[in-house]
Amino acid sequence: MNLRGRNFLKLLDFTSDEIRYLLDLSAELKRMKMAGVSHRYLTGKNIVLLFEKTSTRTRCAFEVGAMDLGLGVTFLDPGSSQMGKKESIADTARVLGRMYDGIEYRGFSQKIVEDIARYSGVPVWNGLTDDFHPTQVLAALLTIEEKLGRLRGLNFTFMGDARNNVANSMMIGCAKMGLNFTACAPSHLYPKAELIREAEKIAAKTGSTLRFTSDIDEGASDTDIIYTDIWVSMGEPDSVWEERIAALKKYQVNKDLMAKAKPTALFMHCLPSFHDTNTSIGAEIAKKFGLPEMEVTDEVFESEQSVVFDEAENRMHTIKAVMYATLK
Ligand code: CP
Ligand code: NVA
């Protein structure tokens, strides 16, 4: 398998075998890290991380993964580059492509990350856009495989805002890797029809199934994984909180909902999560709407079934694999 020179912009661009290769490579790099075996395979190369939205996991995963591989790293936040304000995306990409061997971008439209890839001439990695979050899915799949021993044939349920970047990417990732995907959400929060059609074509080849339901019993019953995400994503206006809470309140992942799933079911979340009032937004929502926990209760978040921090750790091992595979 040779992914050298490839971009990592969305999972739709990768075959099931290529995703399999990236997961196996992630597991191998994780074993090396755990055993203290040096893997500074990319010494002498440099990468730049462009963030137009905030981040903890993705930024740290890229930085630590890069340092472990021997790469030099520059971090640019929206306040510290000319991009967008004084210099176009195309010009910025051409400049960065002359200096760096790879570029990570987190920001708004998918078109921007696709444009950076077109103009820079070096591998570009999507660290989250409004439409997709493909590196998150690699971490989720690696975690599922570690915990449940396989991917193919498992039932995966996404609860909540099923048309956000994480849900879109999970739908494609599940279809590619043979997991049965259910979106459990009000119908206006299902993924876009066009993306569902793409996923259906993939599922027809891999043998996985896709289901869209607003019924919680149907969505949660007999599932192996319950996944959720925040109800309002970065870049959405604060004014949507009220309608989103009203629409998604009954999709909150709580003890009763987990009880409908298989007893062995995992609870997963890309994080960050509003499971208590220990954040400024969490406290504000609790005060305004009387809701101290949102997409998941603290009880489920802290339960034995919750593998959220394993998934967070796996961001680093999987992102490292993406960088290594595309730059080696
Ligand atoms: N899951 C995730 O992408 O986290 P960050 O926003 O902290 O990068
Ligand atoms: N859907 C969330 C994911 C954060 C990692 C957002 O875009 O804010």
Side-chain angles (χ1 to χ4, degrees), residues 24 53 71 147 176 190 193 207 216 260 281 295:
D24 290 345
K53 289 177 178 169
L71 289 160
K147 301 290 175 190
K176 292 250 175 195
Y190 290 168
I216 287 154
K260 297 178 198 293
I281 295 179
E295 73 277 4

Side-chain angles (χ1 to χ4, degrees), residues 189-200:
L189 295 176
Y190 290 168
K192 283 194 185 118
E194 198 187 328
L195 191 65
I196 293 178
R197 276 197 297 276
E198 293 278 340
E200 277 167 349

